[in-house]
């Protein structure tokens, strides 16, 4: 097992002052990784794990990750995003990456369900930082599994209290959580079509996030960000398509970039959107723009 830095050590021993950490937390809209930083493996330092990566990771995990009842955590992705899974493994210093299913070409990052030190790190990484109710519920069950282990209870300390409520107020355009959540459940899409009796092609430019019918999450994001709308009935999603709102979300993703292959889709999306706004899809440019839109939509 990796040796843990003593939980009671002052953060100055890890070459970062408490004041700097508090300022980072304030700038990132209340996400707090203070306790997690105190239990990093010995070969890690606080400066290695950037807070923007951690907020992105929390969002991505809430969209795509799983707290398993047997004590492990995992994320499954298409093989095209295997580099990201290795990046997560390297940055966090935990877990392994392996082929999940040859038929579906999927890969998985997963932690060891017998490594108590890693369980403590995971618990302190997520506790107090979970935004959605659905993921918080599975986190509670995961914690209850580990709290039956006396060594885990001893390492994590008697003052450890499992988060009781989700924190939708953490959704912000000033941290990486939303970028990670879109990486996990969202898509960028542009459709072009010629309609009879219409002089010029019509276009539909939008960003959507599927929520597995999590109406609560959509209501929270609409309340906190005041961007987008709720779409769908059977498959409810959060959609942004208005010009000014799209400008805001594009500016946000440029500041907190995607880490999956959706980053490729986003880059192509922005280029094609600019061409459409400049009327480049009219006349002879239509077929070329149509092909570009198909390139974007294949990431959907």
């Amino acid at each position: 097992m990796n040796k843990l830095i003593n939980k009671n050590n002052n953060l100055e021993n890890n070459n970062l002052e408490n004041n700097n950490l508090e300022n980072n937390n304030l700038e990132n809209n209340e996400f707090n990784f203070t306790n997690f930083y105190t239990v990093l493996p010995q070969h890690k330092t606080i400066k290695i794990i950037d807070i923007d990566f951690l907020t992105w990771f929390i969002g991505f995990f809430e969209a795509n990750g799983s707290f398993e009842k047997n004590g492990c955590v995992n994320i499954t992705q298409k093989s095209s995003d295997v580099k990201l899974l290795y990046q997560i493994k390297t940055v966090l210093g935990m877990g392994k990456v392996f082929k999940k299913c040859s038929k579906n070409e999927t890969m998985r990052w997963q932690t060891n369900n017998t490594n108590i030190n890693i369980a403590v790190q995971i618990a302190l990484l997520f506790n107090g930082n979970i935004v959605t109710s659905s993921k918080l519920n599975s986190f509670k069950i995961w914690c209850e599994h580990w709290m039956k282990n006396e060594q885990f209870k001893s390492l994590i300390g008697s003052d450890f209290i499992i988060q009781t409520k989700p924190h939708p107020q953490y959704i912000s355009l000033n941290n990486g959580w939303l970028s990670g959540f879109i990486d996990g459940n969202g898509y960028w899409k542009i459709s072009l079509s010629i309609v009879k009796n219409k002089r010029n092609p019509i276009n539909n430019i939008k960003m959507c996030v599927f929520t597995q019918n999590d109406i609560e999450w959509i209501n929270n994001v609409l309340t906190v960000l005041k961007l987008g709308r709720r779409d769908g009935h059977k498959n409810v999603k959060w959609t942004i398509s208005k010009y000014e709102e799209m400008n805001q979300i594009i500016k946000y993703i440029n500041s907190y970039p995607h880490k999956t292959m959706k980053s490729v889709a986003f880059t192509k999306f922005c280029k094609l959107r600019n061409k459409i706004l400049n009327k480049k899809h009219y006349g002879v440019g239509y077929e070329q723009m149509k092909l570009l839109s198909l390139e974007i939509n294949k990431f959907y």
Side-chain angles (χ1 to χ4, degrees):
M1 292 184 184
N2 292 326
K3 291 183 178 179
L4 293 177
I5 297 174
N6 189 299
K7 189 178 177 222
N8 295 319
N9 279 356
N10 191 291
L11 289 177
E12 289 180 353
N13 294 334
N14 295 320
N15 301 317
L16 192 68
E17 294 181 354
N18 286 323
N19 288 339
N20 291 338
L21 184 57
E22 289 171 3
N23 289 337
N24 282 338
N25 287 331
L26 289 172
E27 291 172 1
N28 284 275
N29 203 24
E30 304 303 329
F31 279 100
N32 192 322
F33 300 106
T34 304
N35 290 333
F36 170 68
Y37 283 138
T38 66
V39 294
L40 289 174
Q42 290 283 16
H43 69 285
K44 290 287 182 182
T45 67
I46 291 175
K47 292 182 180 179
I48 289 177
I49 306 184
D50 181 72
I51 197 166
D52 288 342
F53 179 88
L54 292 178
T55 54
W56 172 89
F57 176 75
I58 297 289
F60 184 61
F61 189 91
E62 291 204 53
N64 257 8
S66 295
F67 291 106
E68 300 294 346
K69 293 180 180 179
N70 68 356
C72 71
V73 299
N74 60 59
I75 297 173
T76 302
Q77 286 290 103
K78 292 180 179 179
S79 58
S80 56
D81 273 318
V82 66
K83 288 184 178 179
L84 172 61
L85 297 182
Y86 278 109
Q87 181 186 7
I88 291 171
K89 175 181 180 291
T90 300
V91 174
L92 295 183
M94 64 179 74
K96 63 178 181 179
V97 177
F98 57 92
K99 185 176 289 186
K100 173 64 170 62
C101 179
S102 299
K103 183 178 180 180
N104 296 330
E105 296 185 342
T106 54
M107 303 291 291
R108 172 170 285 184
W109 167 80
Q110 182 167 291
T111 62
N112 189 324
N113 68 345
T114 62
N115 191 317
I116 297 171
N117 286 345
I118 287 178
V120 170
Q121 293 166 36
I122 291 291
L124 295 180
L125 171 61
F126 282 97
N127 197 48
N129 291 318
I130 297 177
V131 171
T132 61
S133 294
S134 56
K135 197 58 66 180
L136 179 58
N137 290 336
S138 59
F139 176 69
K140 289 177 180 177
I141 295 171
W142 182 88
C143 284
E144 288 168 1
H145 165 85
W146 279 107
M147 290 300 284
K148 296 174 184 177
N149 185 297
E150 292 300 323
Q151 189 176 354
F152 175 88
K153 289 170 66 176
S154 175
L155 282 173
I156 205 163
S158 58
D159 59 342
F160 178 74
I161 300 174
I162 301 173
Q163 178 180 343
T164 57
K165 296 180 180 179
H167 295 308
Q169 70 273 20
Y170 291 3
I171 302 171
S172 169
L173 300 184
N174 295 313
N175 63 57
W177 187 93
L178 185 61
S179 176
F181 199 82
I182 297 172
D183 254 329
N185 278 348
Y187 64 91
W188 302 86
K189 186 173 184 179
I190 294 179
S191 58
L192 292 169
S193 58
I194 295 177
V195 179
K196 190 176 181 180
N197 299 326
K198 291 283 185 179
R199 180 178 179 182
N200 294 313
I202 62 172
N203 62 78
N204 186 9
I205 303 173
K206 61 184 179 181
M207 185 282 298
C208 296
V209 178
F210 284 114
T211 63
Q212 298 177 335
N213 293 325
D214 188 346
I215 307 299
E216 180 185 8
W217 182 85
I218 292 182
N219 290 337
N220 285 334
V221 78
L222 291 176
T223 300
V224 175
L225 294 184
K226 295 178 172 54
L227 292 175
R229 66 180 185 272
R230 172 180 153 184
D231 274 347
H233 298 287
K234 291 184 178 180
N235 296 307
V236 181
K237 56 191 174 185
W238 174 54
T239 301
I240 288 181
S241 59
K242 292 182 179 179
Y243 176 78
E244 289 298 336
E245 293 183 341
M246 185 62 73
N247 285 345
Q248 289 185 62
I249 203 70
I250 287 174
K251 181 179 179 181
Y252 165 72
I253 296 298
N254 281 328
S255 297
Y256 298 91
H258 289 319
K259 300 183 187 300
T260 67
M261 290 299 291
K262 286 190 177 73
S263 62
V264 178
F266 173 73
T267 299
K268 292 183 177 183
F269 174 92
C270 292
K271 289 181 179 179
L272 181 52
R273 177 177 182 260
N274 288 336
K275 289 178 182 291
I276 291 173
L277 292 176
N278 290 318
K279 314 298 184 185
K280 299 292 186 181
H281 62 305
Y282 287 0
V284 295
Y286 172 78
E287 291 300 329
Q288 181 185 7
M289 300 298 104
K290 181 72 173 179
L291 290 175
L292 288 174
S293 70
L294 295 177
E295 282 292 307
I296 297 166
N297 300 339
K298 73 179 183 181
F299 293 96
Y300 165 46

